[in-house]
Amino acid sequence: MPRPSTLRVFALKLLAVLFLLFILTHIPWPFGRPAAYHNGAYKPNSASDSPTTLPNLQFHGQGPCLPPSASRTALLNKAASIRESCRASSPFSALLPAANDQSRRPRVATLTAQWGDPKGYYQKAIQTHLVHALVHETDLHLLCAPTIQAPKGAPDTLANRLEIYWNKPTLVLSVLLSEMAKPKSERLDWLLWADADTIILDHCRPITTFLPPETNTDDDTDEHDEEENDGLPHLLYTNDMLGLNNGVFLIRVSSWSVNLMTAVLGFRFLRPTVELDYLDQTAMEILIAEDPRFRARALEVPQTWFNAYAHPSGASSARAYAGDSRDGAQQGPKLRDYHARRGDFLAHFPGDPEREASMNAWLDEVDRLGNVWESNRVQRDVSGDVELFWNRWARRRSDTKAAVA
């Protein structure tokens, strides 16, 4: 049996070790603690302050989708502040979520992706989509690691390197199938795909403002109501100078959409001799052009609605965006109609040779500028164009039905 003095020495040593552990775990060391990832996103040291705890944020795959500085509390506070600003100053105040609002509006979610070596400007851009989702209480799906890619050890060919780009239709199809498996009253109505090189400019505008007028939005609608609603668009897309651009598009949750995304994914196997200059984008364009089943439900809408391009002139275009001119004739780069202006929903950066510098400059200016409705600095509001477009579409649809009858 140990002597009392030995027990005292042991107890003192144990207390010293415990005290040392307390010091090590409570001193804010300058080098910080190692990062941890959970469900594909950076997990801050305080689990309760991790954005992964946000119920509207859905991760697909493992990887750092969001910047390490992302904080649940900071994001929620920013979204709440923006929502109140939008409610007070924007024309969309009645469409913002409210505590006692029982109105039935289309349910939407945004889908995007960022994988591989985490690029800070993509992570910050995705965060603008997350803030928009928080403002409007919608969902954001993030693909953080590719599902489709060339197998390990495969030859380093162009075709194998491009395999990774087929993950866009893969994620869209995955979410569509997941939603279609739910009862109609619980599933989403529309999905917005947005490439990682897109930045939300107007957090006030709900995605639903671009959707077609619906003739039936009751939750108990027959499961097979697509046949009854024949003629409603299930895909809203935009064209640019190269044709269809699927960097941003809206797609309805429906069996038609499942069939389209399945056809896009299978295109390169079923028609291997067809040259696909822009991969899944070209496959989608060909299917819509050649197959009447897809062409009947796909509708081109103006690019200015939700796919405006940032002028490819780097920081100068960002400074021009944040300038004081309100008539569209900004100082700096000469803008075409499809170039982003204050009041547009988002800015897209396809093919920008200086994408990192451009996006970082735009992210800084957009954040600094804040709500352009509040400061009365809107240059373009497409709301009237959207309403006119859908009114004309409804008249054409009505005339077509009358002619058939």
Side-chain angles (χ1 to χ4, degrees):
M1 180 174 179
R3 290 176 299 176
S5 60
T6 305
L7 289 174
R8 282 196 297 271
V9 171
F10 176 78
L12 289 172
K13 288 182 177 179
L14 179 61
L15 287 173
V17 170
L18 292 175
F19 180 74
L20 180 61
L21 287 173
F22 176 85
I23 294 295
L24 289 173
T25 55
H26 285 75
I27 288 181
W29 298 99
F31 45 78
R33 299 175 192 171
Y37 293 90
H38 173 70
N39 288 341
Y42 180 93
K43 184 178 181 181
N45 295 316
S46 173
S48 62
D49 201 34
S50 166
T52 61
T53 60
L54 292 167
N56 67 325
L57 186 53
Q58 309 296 323
F59 292 101
H60 302 258
Q62 301 293 315
C65 279
L66 294 175
S69 60
S71 158
R72 181 183 190 274
T73 302
L75 290 170
L76 287 171
N77 289 340
K78 183 174 184 177
S81 175
I82 291 174
R83 187 187 301 118
E84 290 311 305
S85 173
C86 294
R87 201 185 304 279
S89 61
S90 81
F92 312 112
S93 57
L95 302 177
L96 293 167
N100 299 317
D101 187 4
Q102 301 297 320
S103 59
R104 169 66 170 91
R105 299 191 183 96
R107 294 176 288 259
V108 299
T110 299
L111 281 58
T112 190
Q114 210 278 159
W115 56 72
D117 181 24
K119 295 178 173 58
Y121 56 98
Y122 282 156
Q123 292 177 314
K124 292 177 184 177
I126 289 173
Q127 191 168 303
T128 68
H129 288 277
L130 175 55
V131 171
H132 184 272
L134 291 171
V135 168
H136 297 279
E137 297 182 359
T138 58
D139 289 341
L140 177 65
H141 290 259
L142 295 181
L143 179 61
C144 301
T147 302
I148 295 179
Q149 58 185 326
K152 290 183 178 180
D156 185 22
T157 63
L158 178 61
N160 284 336
R161 290 197 298 271
L162 294 178
E163 275 291 287
I164 201 169
Y165 290 98
W166 292 92
N167 282 279
K168 179 189 301 187
T170 302
L171 178 61
V172 176
L173 179 59
S174 173
V175 176
L176 283 171
L177 290 171
S178 176
E179 291 299 316
M180 289 295 288
K182 300 176 183 178
K184 187 173 179 61
S185 60
E186 299 177 12
R187 64 176 76 141
L188 294 168
D189 297 304
W190 286 83
L191 308 177
L192 172 74
W193 172 271
D195 281 356
D197 62 338
T198 59
I199 298 172
I200 294 293
L201 303 179
D202 183 6
H203 284 94
C204 296
R205 180 184 287 276
I207 297 169
T208 54
T209 58
F210 302 116
L211 298 180
E214 298 293 338
T215 55
N216 195 337
T217 57
D218 294 336
D219 285 347
D220 58 354
T221 303
D222 192 298
E223 284 287 326
H224 304 288
D225 66 335
E226 286 185 42
E227 289 77 16
E228 298 177 16
N229 289 337
D230 189 29
L232 291 177
H234 285 230
L235 174 71
L236 305 181
Y237 68 93
T238 65
N239 279 340
D240 61 17
M241 67 291 293
L242 299 176
L244 181 146
N245 179 273
N246 74 347
V248 186
F249 62 87
L250 278 156
I251 191 165
R252 188 191 296 268
V253 175
S254 67
S255 60
W256 180 95
S257 301
V258 170
N259 291 336
L260 175 64
M261 288 297 112
T262 303
V264 169
L265 270 174
F267 193 99
R268 66 196 195 280
F269 300 113
L270 299 175
R271 300 174 65 177
T273 60
V274 177
E275 192 73 24
L276 298 176
D277 294 334
Y278 300 102
L279 304 169
D280 62 295
Q281 177 172 285
T282 304
M284 181 185 290
E285 184 174 31
I286 292 173
L287 287 166
I288 292 171
E290 295 183 357
D291 193 322
R293 295 169 298 178
F294 294 133
R295 187 167 60 250
R297 301 290 186 90
L299 184 62
E300 179 189 350
V301 300
Q303 187 178 355
T304 52
W305 285 17
F306 51 72
N307 198 12
Y309 291 174
H311 192 284
S313 55
S316 63
S317 69
R319 289 192 297 269
Y321 169 80
D324 293 323
S325 174
R326 300 183 186 180
D327 59 3
Q330 298 168 306
Q331 293 182 356
K334 182 175 177 57
L335 301 182
R336 296 185 180 274
D337 186 57
Y338 58 81
H339 284 135
R341 292 164 169 78
R342 295 192 298 275
D344 286 342
F345 178 60
L346 61 69
H348 189 188
F349 296 76
D352 189 334
E354 303 293 335
R355 182 176 293 159
E356 179 175 2
S358 296
M359 290 185 65
N360 278 326
W362 275 76
L363 284 161
D364 290 342
E365 293 295 344
V366 169
D367 191 57
R368 182 181 66 81
L369 191 61
N371 178 9
V372 296
W373 298 100
E374 185 176 51
S375 58
N376 193 28
R377 300 180 68 188
V378 174
Q379 292 175 303
R380 178 165 59 193
D381 178 6
V382 300
S383 300
D385 294 335
V386 172
E387 182 179 8
L388 180 62
F389 179 95
W390 288 123
N391 286 339
R392 289 174 174 171
W393 171 84
R395 285 197 295 271
R396 288 195 303 270
R397 182 166 178 259
S398 179
D399 292 344
T400 301
K401 283 186 174 182
V404 172

